[in-house]
């Protein structure tokens, strides 16, 4: 693997988590200077590649073939194809000449042929700028084959031999705006500078001294192109948090004639905006209209209610060419068609309406009247455009005519500019950016005031808010700005300086007059000082803060975004003037549960002391108090009392409401919707600040995060106070920001909290805490890294680093250890990454690894260094070493293990294996790599393991429906059933976006009590169940109830999320047998992946329950309904466990399987249909093998069943003469069951390998099979008659996991058996449902009693699935030697037959006698009732004859009873069973016929007497312990318990799985 170095653009501004409104627009450019070679498991990755080749005279006719040879060299190294890398080529001189487009050729040969035919054009000029613009305008769009809209990266490679004869700056901006990866090959010295300007990064420009040496750069440029295609070079956009804003309706009005590049940029701009907004029908709604000469609506305001669906719909934004546009008509269209209630507009509800117009042309029609019409409606319209000057004038008509009507639109804006060396050459773009923003503002003393300062280590004021009175003066001063220089940044000090010196009255600030204060920070590097606390101070001072990275100021959409955000976030200020003075709404939400009963006086005292300093009055401060436990209980509302004396008197008399537990999330929602509403005295509509103080003494049972966010979105400022057992994380989540969260150990300490709140009150915290804050963090720093720190950095990037989640420390060592930072040094991921980026090699000649381990134990894994070992937080150590230690390693390593540290040992190059083994916590945690370059390959595996230790799993949300037996028979037990449901519900996490519950009652007819979307809280559901009345009635029709539930409850309109992939669960509770058919409705439920549990009492029919259940193991029984509590934990633990697994199909692709390959494809497709394929559920991969193995797709390639099935359908048979199954298994283990390939092995997700094999392997399979078992990979083998049965059993996890079919055309006969294992997640039943029984004569004599028949009843009836009955053949010894005992045999068979349900579509029984020949006594189809079979058996006469030929008899049964027509019934899940009763040794070999029966799916259970050969019995039976022998009748009593244990073992195993043990 090649070495890798990295360049990364990273953000250098603290996120400021205390800001109320955070926008993190985080552009990361991560590029690898030496890209990893394509990994063996990577599928061909797509990219659009354009080659732009210099054809001017600077090349020369003689040298041009060398340039075209370079192009051929590059293309030959790429995976060219319609779905892989597409190629276009342009020659340029005076004009660009397109040779072919991205969609001109579909294969490499055609592209190479076209390149080889290139002819040298020759030209005096080399207009590279015009050529690049032509590429951007004509070659990257969808019509030319470009796939940018599909997320495919686009690459431009420029090959130039000289300086361009035209300007390239415009071309450079076009490429960067379109996110094109641009690389350059400079031949000679003169072309380098311009190519560096055009390239994505100057390191992407390769140089060759002259044309003759240009071929040397071919390999390097090839790595770059493959790096982009394989995403090891990637430009990535990441929005970390959404803005907390109020309700808005926003319409983007887009000029569709702007061209592909601009339209793509607009689409991305809108997507970025959506990602930062709280989208929803009660929050922000977004619409999109497009126009040229005529407008059209693409997305209406009420079309989509989620970010995901809205973002997906943005694909509709596509360019349409037009030479003219009618902006006036477009504005009218928006006003009349989109700003209406029918289209989702909430203008009548006083929700702010905003329109953002994006255009690039002058309007053909008039815009003045339409703009005035929008203004009169109160719609805020913002306009952005480019190019034509007269078009800008029109935009001002739209833009400023709107703004000038709002007299309240005033701002004080200070620009804080990074003047250090980080900005460097970006000075002019920074000034242009500020100028563009200022140009959009109405600058004058009474409206918008502008200030400017710069900073590096120190700060300098350029001009204050009151220095300049006109826009022109401000712009002139900006143009004269000279950067101060400096190598370091103190951003925190600069923020404090701005707050102390610029946002003051003496500097022109109108903060005291209530004018919005705005700070725009433009920075280019990381701060060396503390930013977070200062950012808090700025936020609390009411300053609206934006931060822009110096690297992005050239993006025109950031300017648009900033202006738009300025108006958007504060639009309410235009509509409603601010309150005049001290009006505030203050609501207390306090703990009213039984747990605080003894401490309640402290709570009363706390409320009184907080209220005391407030100026309470109806037009001043209003107060409300609410207690909460399971539900909220108001003591008084905001408009209940008008004076302080009244409020204090009521507070002093408060009594505890009481309750068992806390649902603080429910209470927060109640506060928002009820307490703070206008009906109860809330004045948010009058722009009165609203505050809430939440005080709890325990942990909330429900989630507080979403309700808290909803409160903050409405502008409410919550304080959180936690006492005793309160969860600090919940308190912080509730609070406005972390500085508003308080935690104390005892209620007696509440006075200290009250003092801090009162102190903040004196500092006007109450007034200013509700100020809006926006923070844009944009990446702006380039850092070149070494490989080790790249590995560490990638780990840090992928972990959720936070002081309350994951903490990280880095230590470097050689002879001694050096701490770079400890676990508690940094509190944010960004700070950790900054420090990692600064790592340099420590140096040193020797390694003292043992001393370093001891140092870590004594100095790092300690509370003083930030370790949370005593709190039970997992402690992990990753040791990377490249050589042997000169000191002892074993002792310190053992000490670390003894204190519970999980050590992962990574050895590189010369590391000593024995030392690594000592360090690693177990062999699973050891990696020994041949080269440093391999580090990045194991990073996903280590990351996956760490996340598994953290317990990170996808959220489990379910829809669960309870169907309760309401018939007359359950009248007395109905209350117990309801209480059972309540206890289960109490263990769920109920909510619209969490678990949902429905209840149906049935007897003769079903009746729904509430749907899945009826109730949104646990308490509401518990209350509804409490009020349930018993339905009564008869008979009991379960089938009708199941069918009703499927058709009426498990649908979207009833709240089911079945279409969204949420697990669907049905719990049936019954006290009797159904009188109608249950099989068809149960099958329909299973087909829809609805997991059914059946719970019955002693009166229920167990067989019927198993037929209803998802699998037999999903059936639970209790003696009486009073005992339901004994199974509720089993039910909950299984229901809340998301069934998921990683399944790899390893298919025999040798030449022998070509004809039957379609059968294998059908098998895989059928099995996949029964799984639930999704990223967080089942994952599927397919690998083919012959002499070698190759994957068709990986576990993380496809995320839906349809995608998997479609790709399996189109698989191409691999072919190959040899069959190396062992090597193929090794390939799967090494390349498929890895995190990089999508495996979740280290997260504890079950790993399953299904092998389809058609013959004996040419290599060893034993070693790798054992390795797979040791790695907990379950192996299921499926072979044909050509396969080696012993080899199949060796490879499978247990012999019972080995299945056989005659050939692959019969493979679907076993699909249900495999599917039942995969869908249930249980262990494979070891063919109990298909057993063949060989019973000794002595055992029959002893057990011709009911207890023996009960054993077989358990085996046949309870222990297997009964969807379509079973075929049972008794092969009994009728020889002369058994004549005296034949009566006992006959009675045994008859008594056993009476326990089965014989019928046409049910069980069928046949009897065959054998001695030296075999004869049918009666066939499977002879009798159709149990009584007929029993009577026929009792009338049997012994056949006679000697000796016994068991082999011949088994062959007779195979040929005469288990005929092809009978075997085909297995597809319908009819199990084929043979019971052999043998009284002596066989005179022929039974092995071949027995194996033939097993390969057909018939299963064997053997019991022999003292005269039989025990080895022979074992060979005949399906399992060794299914062969039982007794030496004497008296020994049978000792055999009874062990036999019962064997027969019941499989069922108990299924119960253990459900129990979660």
């Amino acid at each position: 693997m090649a070495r890798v170095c990295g360049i990364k653009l990273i953000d250098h501004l603290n996120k400021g988590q205390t800001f109320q409104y955070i926008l993190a627009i985080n552009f990361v450019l991560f590029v690898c200077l030496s890209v990893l070679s394509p990994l063996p498991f990577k599928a061909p990755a797509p990219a659009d590649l354009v080659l732009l080749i210099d054809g001017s005279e600077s090349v020369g006719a003689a040298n041009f073939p060398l340039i075209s040879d370079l192009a051929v060299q590059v293309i030959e190294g790429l995976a060219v194809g319609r779905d892989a890398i597409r190629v276009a080529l342009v020659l340029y001189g005076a004009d660009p000449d397109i040779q072919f487009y991205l969609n001109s050729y579909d294969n490499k040969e055609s592209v190479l042929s076209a390149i080889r035919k290139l002819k040298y054009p020759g030209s005096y000029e080399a207009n590279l700028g015009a050529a690049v613009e032509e590429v951007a305008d004509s070659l990257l769009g969808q019509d030319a084959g470009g796939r940018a809209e599909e997320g495919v990266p686009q690459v431009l490679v420029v090959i130039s031999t000289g300086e361009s004869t035209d300007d390239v700056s415009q071309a450079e901006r076009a490429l960067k705006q379109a996110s094109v990866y641009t690389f350059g090959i400079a031949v000679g010295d003169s072309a380098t500078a311009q190519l560096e300007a055009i390239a994505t990064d100057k390191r992407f420009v390769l140089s060759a001294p002259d044309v003759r040496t240009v071929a040397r750069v071919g390999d390097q440029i090839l790595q770059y192109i493959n790096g982009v295609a394989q995403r090891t070079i990637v430009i990535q956009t990441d929005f970390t948090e959404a803005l907390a804003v109020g309700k808005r309706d926003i319409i983007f009005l887009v000029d569709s004639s702007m061209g592909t590049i601009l339209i793509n940029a607009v689409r991305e701009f809108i997507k970025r905006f959506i990602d930062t907004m709280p989208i929803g029908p009660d929050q922000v709604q977004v619409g999109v209209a497009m126009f040229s000469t005529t407008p059209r609506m693409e997305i209406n305001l009420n079309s989509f209610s989620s970010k995901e669906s809205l973002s997906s719909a943005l694909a509709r934004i596509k360019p349409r060419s037009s030479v003219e546009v009618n902006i006036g008509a477009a504005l009218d269209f928006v006003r009349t068609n989109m700003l209406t209630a029918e289209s989702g507009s909430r203008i009548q509800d006083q929700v702010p309406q905003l329109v953002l117009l994006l255009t690039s042309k002058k309007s053909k029609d008039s815009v003045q009247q339409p703009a005035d019409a929008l203004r009169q409606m109160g719609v805020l319209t913002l306009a952005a455009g480019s190019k034509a000057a007269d078009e800008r004038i029109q935009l001002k008509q739209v833009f400023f005519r709107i703004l000038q009507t709002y007299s309240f639109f005033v701002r004080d804006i200070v620009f804080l500019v990074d003047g250090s060396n980080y900005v460097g050459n970006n000075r002019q773009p920074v000034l242009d950016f500020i100028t563009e923003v200022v140009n959009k503002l109405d600058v004058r003393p009474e409206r918008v005031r502008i200030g400017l300062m710069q900073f590096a280590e120190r700060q300098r004021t350029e001009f204050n808010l009151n220095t300049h009175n006109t826009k022109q003066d401000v712009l002139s001063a900006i143009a004269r700005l000279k950067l101060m220089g400096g190598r370091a940044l103190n951003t925190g000090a600069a923020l404090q300086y701005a707050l102390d010196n610029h946002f003051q009255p003496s500097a022109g600030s109108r903060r005291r007059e209530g004018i919005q204060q705005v700070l725009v920070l433009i920075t280019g590097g990381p701060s060396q000082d503390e930013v977070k606390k200062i950012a808090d101070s700025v936020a609390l001072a009411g300053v609206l803060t934006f931060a822009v990275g110096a690297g992005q100021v050239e993006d025109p959409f950031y300017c648009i975004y900033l202006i738009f955000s300025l108006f958007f976030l504060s639009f309410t200020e235009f509509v409603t003037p601010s309150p005049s003075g001290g009006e505030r709404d203050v609501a207390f939400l306090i703990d009213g549960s039984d747990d605080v009963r003894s401490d309640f006086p402290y709570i009363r005292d706390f409320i009184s002391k907080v209220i005391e300093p407030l100026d309470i009055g109806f037009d001043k401060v209003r107060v409300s108090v609410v207690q909460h436990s399971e539900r909220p209980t108001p003591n008084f509302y905001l408009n209940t009392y008008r004076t302080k004396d009244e409020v204090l008197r009521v507070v002093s008399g408060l009594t505890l409401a009481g309750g068992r537990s806390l649902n603080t999330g429910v209470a927060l929602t109640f506060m928002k919707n009820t307490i703070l509403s206008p009906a109860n005295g809330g004045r948010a509509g009058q722009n009165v600040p609203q505050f809430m103080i939440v005080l709890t003494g325990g942990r909330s049972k429900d989630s507080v995060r979403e309700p808290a966010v909803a409160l903050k979105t409405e502008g409410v400022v919550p304080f959180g106070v936690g006492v005793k057992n309160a969860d600090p994380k919940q308190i912080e989540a509730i609070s406005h920001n972390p500085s508003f969260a308080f935690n104390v150990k005892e209620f007696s300490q509440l006075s200290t909290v009250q003092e801090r709140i009162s102190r903040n009150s004196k500092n006007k915290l109450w007034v200013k805490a509700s100020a809006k804050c926006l923070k844009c963090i944009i990446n702006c720093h380039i850092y070149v890294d070494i490989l080790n720190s790249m590995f560490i950095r990638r780990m840090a990037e992928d972990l959720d680093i936070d002081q309350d989640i994951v903490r990280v420390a880095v230590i470097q060592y050689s002879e001694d250890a050096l701490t770079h930072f400890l676990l508690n040094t940094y509190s944010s991921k960004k700070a950790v990454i900054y420090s990692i980026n600064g790592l340099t090699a420590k140096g040193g000649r020797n390694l003292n690894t043992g001393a370093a381990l001891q140092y870590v134990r004594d100095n790092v894994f300690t509370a003083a260094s930030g370790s949370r070992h005593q709190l039970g937080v997992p402690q992990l150590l990753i040791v990377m070493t490249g050589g042997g230690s000169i000191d002892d390693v074993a002792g310190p390593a053992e000490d670390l293990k003894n204190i519970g540290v999980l050590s992962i040992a990574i050895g590189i190059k010369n590391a000593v294996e024995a030392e690594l083994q000592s360090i690693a916590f177990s062999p699973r945690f050891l990696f020994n790599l041949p080269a440093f370059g391999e580090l990045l390959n194991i990073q996903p595996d280590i990351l996956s393991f760490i996340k598994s230790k953290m317990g990170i799993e996808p959220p489990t949300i379910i829809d669960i429906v309870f169907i309760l037996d309401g018939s007359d028979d359950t009248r007395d037990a109905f209350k117990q059933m309801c209480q059972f449901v309540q206890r289960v519900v109490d263990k769920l996490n109920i909510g619209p976006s969490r678990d949902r519950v429905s209840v149906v009652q049935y007897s003769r007819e079903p009746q729904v009590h509430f749907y899945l979307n009826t109730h949104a809280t646990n308490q509401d559901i518990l209350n509804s169940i409490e009020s349930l009345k018993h339905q009564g009635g008869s008979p009991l029709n379960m089938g009708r109830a199941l069918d009703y539930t499927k058709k009426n409850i498990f649908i979207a309109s009833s709240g089911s999320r079945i279409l969204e992939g949420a697990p669907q669960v049905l719990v049936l509770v019954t006290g009797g047998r159904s009188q109608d058919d249950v099989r068809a409705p149960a099958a329909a439920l299973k087909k829809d992946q609805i997991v059914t549990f059946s719970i019955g009492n002693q009166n229920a029919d167990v067989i019927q329950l198993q037929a209803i259940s998802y699998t037999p193991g999903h059936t639970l029984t209790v003696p009486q309904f009073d005992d339901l509590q004994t199974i509720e934990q089993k039910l909950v633990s299984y229901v809340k466990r998301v069934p998921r697994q990683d399944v790899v199909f390893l298919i025999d692709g040798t030449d022998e399987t070509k004809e039957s390959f379609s059968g294998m494809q059908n098998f895989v497709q059928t099995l996949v249909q029964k799984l639930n394929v999704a990223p967080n559920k089942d994952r599927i991969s397919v690998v083919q093998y012959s002499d070698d193995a190759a994957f068709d797709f990986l576990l993380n390639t496809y995320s839906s069943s349809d995608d998997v099935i479609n790709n399996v359908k189109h698989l191409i048979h691999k072919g190959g003469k040899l069959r190396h199954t062992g090597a193929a298994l090794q390939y799967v283990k090494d390349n498929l069951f890895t995190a990089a390939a999508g495996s979740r092995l280290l997260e504890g997700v079950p790993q399953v390998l299904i092998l389809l094999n058609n013959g004996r392997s040419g290599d060893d399979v034993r070693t790798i099979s054992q390795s797979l078992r040791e790695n907990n990979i379950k192996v299921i083998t499926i072979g044909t008659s050509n396969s080696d049965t012993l080899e199949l059993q060796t490879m499978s996890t247990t012999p019972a996991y080995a299945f056989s079919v005659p050939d692959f055309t019969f493979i679907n006969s076993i699909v249900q058996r495999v599917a039942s294992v995969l869908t249930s997640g249980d262990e494979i039943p070891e063919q109990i449902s298909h057993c063949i029984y060989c019973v000794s004569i002595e055992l029959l004599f002893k057990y011709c009693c009911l207890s023996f028949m009960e054993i077989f009843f358990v085996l046949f009836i309870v222990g297997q699935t009964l969807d379509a009955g079973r075929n049972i053949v008794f092969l009994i010894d009728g020889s002369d030697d058994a004549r005296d005992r034949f009566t006992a045999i006959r009675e045994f068979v008859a008594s056993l037959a009476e326990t089965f349900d014989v019928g046409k579509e049910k069980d069928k029984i046949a009897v065959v006698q054998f001695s030296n020949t075999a004869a049918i006594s009666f066939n499977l189809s002879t009798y159709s009732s149990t009584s007929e079979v029993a009577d026929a058996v009792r009338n049997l006469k012994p056949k006679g004859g000697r000796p016994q030929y068991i082999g011949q008899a088994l062959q007779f049964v195979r040929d005469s009873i288990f005929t092809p027509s009978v075997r085909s019934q297995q597809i319908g899940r009819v199990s084929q069973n043979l019971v052999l009763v043998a009284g002596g040794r066989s005179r022929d070999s039974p092995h071949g016929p027995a194996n033939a029966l097993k390969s057909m799916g018939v299963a064997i259970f053997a019991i022999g007497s003292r005269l039989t050969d025990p080895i022979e019995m074992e060979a005949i039976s399906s399992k060794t312990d299914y062969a039982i022998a007794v030496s004497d009748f008296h020994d049978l009593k000792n055999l009874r318990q062990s036999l019962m244990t064997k027969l019941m073992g499989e069922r108990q195993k299924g119960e253990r799985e459900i129990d979660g043990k």
Side-chain angles (χ1 to χ4, degrees), residues 423-436:
V423 173
N425 295 331
N426 279 337
R427 171 187 172 274
Q428 193 56 48
V430 168
L431 298 186
D432 291 344
F433 177 81
I434 300 173
T435 299
E436 184 72 12

Side-chain angles (χ1 to χ4, degrees), residues 948-1256:
S948 72
K949 295 307 295 181
M950 293 164 55
I952 298 175
E953 292 202 359
T956 304
I957 60 168
I958 61 170
D959 297 336
I960 180 168
V961 179
F962 292 90
I963 304 183
L964 306 181
D965 182 345
S967 65
D968 293 337
D969 292 338
T970 63
R971 188 176 303 278
D972 295 337
F974 190 69
K975 183 177 181 181
Q976 285 89 339
M977 279 193 274
C978 291
Q979 290 172 342
F980 167 72
V981 177
Q982 285 178 306
R983 290 193 298 269
V984 173
V985 169
D986 208 34
K987 293 179 172 65
L988 301 176
N989 191 12
I990 303 298
S993 59
R994 297 189 290 272
D995 300 332
R996 298 181 182 179
V997 172
S998 170
V999 172
V1000 176
Q1001 193 180 166
Y1002 77 102
S1003 54
R1004 182 183 182 87
E1005 298 290 340
Q1007 175 186 346
V1008 61
H1009 286 284
F1010 54 87
Y1011 295 93
L1012 289 164
N1013 54 5
T1014 303
H1015 300 303
T1017 68
N1018 287 66
Q1019 195 59 50
D1020 289 344
I1021 292 175
L1022 296 176
N1023 292 343
S1024 183
I1025 296 172
E1026 189 72 33
S1027 64
L1028 279 184
K1029 302 298 182 185
H1030 186 259
Q1031 178 178 328
S1034 64
L1036 196 60
N1037 290 326
M1038 289 186 211
R1040 188 173 299 176
L1042 294 171
D1043 184 62
Y1044 173 86
T1045 302
K1046 177 184 179 297
K1047 294 177 179 177
N1048 296 277
I1049 309 299
F1050 288 113
I1051 56 176
S1053 59
S1054 297
S1056 170
R1057 293 164 292 182
I1058 190 170
L1059 298 178
E1060 302 169 34
Q1064 307 289 290
V1065 178
L1066 185 152
V1067 179
L1068 172 75
V1069 185
T1070 184
R1073 178 180 174 84
S1074 178
Q1075 300 304 306
D1076 63 351
D1077 176 58
V1078 300
R1079 296 178 186 270
L1085 288 165
K1086 294 173 188 176
K1087 184 177 180 181
D1088 284 356
Q1089 296 292 318
I1090 297 169
V1091 179
T1092 303
F1093 289 84
S1094 299
I1095 301 173
N1097 66 0
Q1098 61 185 3
N1099 298 322
D1101 186 321
V1102 176
I1103 298 176
Q1104 204 171 58
L1105 293 182
Q1106 287 190 328
I1108 293 171
S1109 298
Y1110 193 60
T1111 72
H1114 288 67
T1115 302
L1116 304 172
T1117 58
V1118 292
Q1120 302 291 339
F1121 285 127
D1122 289 340
D1123 302 309
L1124 281 171
Q1125 70 270 15
T1126 62
I1127 63 166
E1128 69 186 45
Q1129 190 54 50
K1130 287 184 182 180
L1131 179 66
V1132 172
S1133 65
Y1134 191 90
V1135 163
K1136 290 300 290 181
R1137 183 178 65 191
V1138 177
R1140 53 191 182 132
Q1141 56 203 324
D1142 298 334
V1143 182
V1144 177
F1145 291 89
L1146 179 58
I1147 299 175
D1148 188 337
T1150 57
D1151 293 340
E1152 297 173 5
T1153 64
K1154 188 170 185 179
E1155 298 300 322
S1156 59
F1157 189 66
S1158 60
M1160 289 190 275
Q1161 287 175 289
N1162 291 334
F1163 171 78
V1164 176
Q1165 292 176 70
T1166 305
L1167 200 55
V1168 169
Q1169 285 177 336
K1170 299 177 181 299
L1171 300 176
N1172 194 0
V1173 179
N1176 287 331
K1177 295 178 184 174
D1178 298 329
R1179 296 182 182 178
I1180 306 295
S1181 172
V1182 171
V1183 178
Q1184 290 188 63
Y1185 80 100
S1186 52
D1187 48 352
D1188 61 356
F1191 71 86
D1192 287 291
F1193 53 86
L1194 301 171
L1195 289 164
N1196 53 8
T1197 302
Y1198 300 116
S1199 58
S1200 71
S1201 298
D1202 290 342
D1203 288 342
V1204 171
I1205 291 169
N1206 184 55
N1207 279 274
V1208 171
K1209 189 182 300 180
H1210 294 94
L1211 288 179
I1212 298 173
H1213 184 257
K1214 181 180 186 300
K1217 293 183 178 180
L1218 302 177
R1219 180 182 293 106
H1220 291 153
T1221 311
L1225 293 171
Q1226 187 69 51
Y1227 174 86
V1228 171
K1229 177 180 178 291
D1230 294 343
N1231 296 281
L1232 275 298
F1233 290 117
T1234 64
S1239 169
R1240 296 163 292 178
L1241 173 65
L1242 295 177
E1243 299 174 41
V1245 175
Q1247 308 289 289
V1248 181
L1249 171 60
I1250 301 177
L1251 169 66
L1252 278 64
N1253 169 271
N1254 191 51
R1256 184 176 178 82

Side-chain angles (χ1 to χ4, degrees), residues 1300 1302 1306 1309-1310 1313 1326-1334 1355-1356 1360-1371 1396 1400-1406 1419-1421 1450 1453-1476 1490 1492-1501 1516-1518 1522:
S1300 293
F1306 287 88
S1309 65
I1310 62 168
R1313 292 161 65 185
E1326 297 184 5
Q1327 303 199 20
I1328 280 192
S1329 60
H1330 307 283
C1331 292
I1332 298 179
Y1333 302 89
C1334 301
L1355 181 67
F1356 279 103
Q1360 59 184 310
T1361 305
L1362 304 176
D1363 287 0
R1366 64 188 59 72
N1367 295 329
I1368 308 146
V1369 179
F1370 290 92
L1371 179 59
F1396 294 103
K1400 185 176 180 181
E1401 299 295 331
K1402 301 175 182 176
D1403 301 327
K1404 296 180 181 179
I1405 295 177
N1419 216 325
L1420 291 167
S1421 58
L1450 291 171
V1453 169
R1454 180 185 186 276
D1455 296 338
S1456 303
I1457 305 295
F1458 292 116
T1459 61
S1461 61
V1462 171
R1463 294 200 303 271
S1464 68
Q1465 294 175 341
Q1466 285 182 311
I1467 298 174
R1469 297 187 69 180
V1470 177
S1471 61
Q1472 313 298 328
N1473 307 281
L1474 175 65
V1475 179
L1476 171 66
L1493 283 165
K1494 296 173 192 175
S1495 69
M1496 291 162 46
V1498 182
I1500 306 172
F1501 191 8
I1516 293 172
S1517 62
S1518 293
Y1522 285 3

Side-chain angles (χ1 to χ4, degrees), residues 344-400:
S345 172
R346 297 167 290 180
I347 193 170
Q348 300 299 325
D349 300 329
Q350 303 302 311
V351 173
Q353 310 287 292
L354 299 97
V355 175
L356 177 59
L357 169 65
L358 300 168
T359 184
S360 63
K361 290 185 177 70
K362 174 186 176 183
S363 179
K364 183 182 176 183
D365 62 355
S366 172
V367 301
Q368 182 172 335
Q369 188 173 349
D372 287 343
L374 286 170
R375 173 185 56 78
Q376 290 167 6
M377 289 177 64
V379 179
L380 174 62
T381 305
L382 305 177
S386 61
K387 295 186 179 178
D390 49 0
E391 177 263 341
R392 292 195 188 100
I393 295 173
Q394 282 191 326
L395 291 181
K396 288 183 179 179
Q397 284 184 302
V398 178
F399 187 58
F400 288 113

Side-chain angles (χ1 to χ4, degrees), residues 51-55 59-76 89-91 99-100 111-121 159 161 185 187 211 214-215:
L51 298 176
L52 181 57
I53 299 176
D54 188 345
V59 178
N63 292 328
F64 187 74
L66 298 175
I67 300 293
S68 62
D69 287 346
L70 173 63
V72 168
Q73 177 187 349
V74 171
I75 298 303
E76 284 179 336
L89 190 144
V90 182
L91 295 175
Q99 300 297 306
F100 51 87
V111 172
L112 290 172
S113 177
I115 294 174
R116 290 186 178 113
K117 294 177 183 178
L118 288 178
K119 293 183 179 180
Y120 172 59
I159 305 175
T161 59
I185 299 176
V187 183
V211 176
V214 74

Side-chain angles (χ1 to χ4, degrees), residues 252-354:
F252 292 90
L253 182 57
V254 182
D255 176 355
S256 60
S257 70
M258 291 192 291
T260 301
I261 298 299
L262 280 177
I263 289 295
N264 287 344
V266 167
R267 187 189 305 110
E268 183 62 24
F269 165 64
I270 298 175
K271 184 179 185 302
R272 291 203 304 257
F273 177 80
I274 289 170
D275 285 343
T276 64
M277 291 294 114
I279 300 297
D282 296 323
Q283 296 173 306
V284 176
Q285 296 185 150
V286 173
V288 177
M290 300 194 73
F291 70 97
S292 53
T293 53
T294 57
R296 65 186 183 279
M297 188 273 293
E298 299 292 352
I299 301 172
N300 229 333
L301 289 167
N302 55 5
S303 296
F304 302 101
S305 59
S306 70
K307 291 184 182 184
E308 293 76 15
S309 57
L310 189 55
S311 294
S312 298
L314 292 179
R316 301 176 186 176
I317 301 177
K318 295 182 179 180
R320 296 189 181 184
S321 59
S322 177
V323 296
E324 298 177 340
V325 295
N326 291 321
I327 297 175
L331 292 171
D332 277 338
F333 175 83
V334 169
R335 177 174 57 83
T336 58
N337 292 277
M338 299 185 74
L339 296 176
T340 64
E342 295 76 16
S343 295
S345 172
R346 297 167 290 180
I347 193 170
Q348 300 299 325
D349 300 329
Q350 303 302 311
V351 173
Q353 310 287 292
L354 299 97

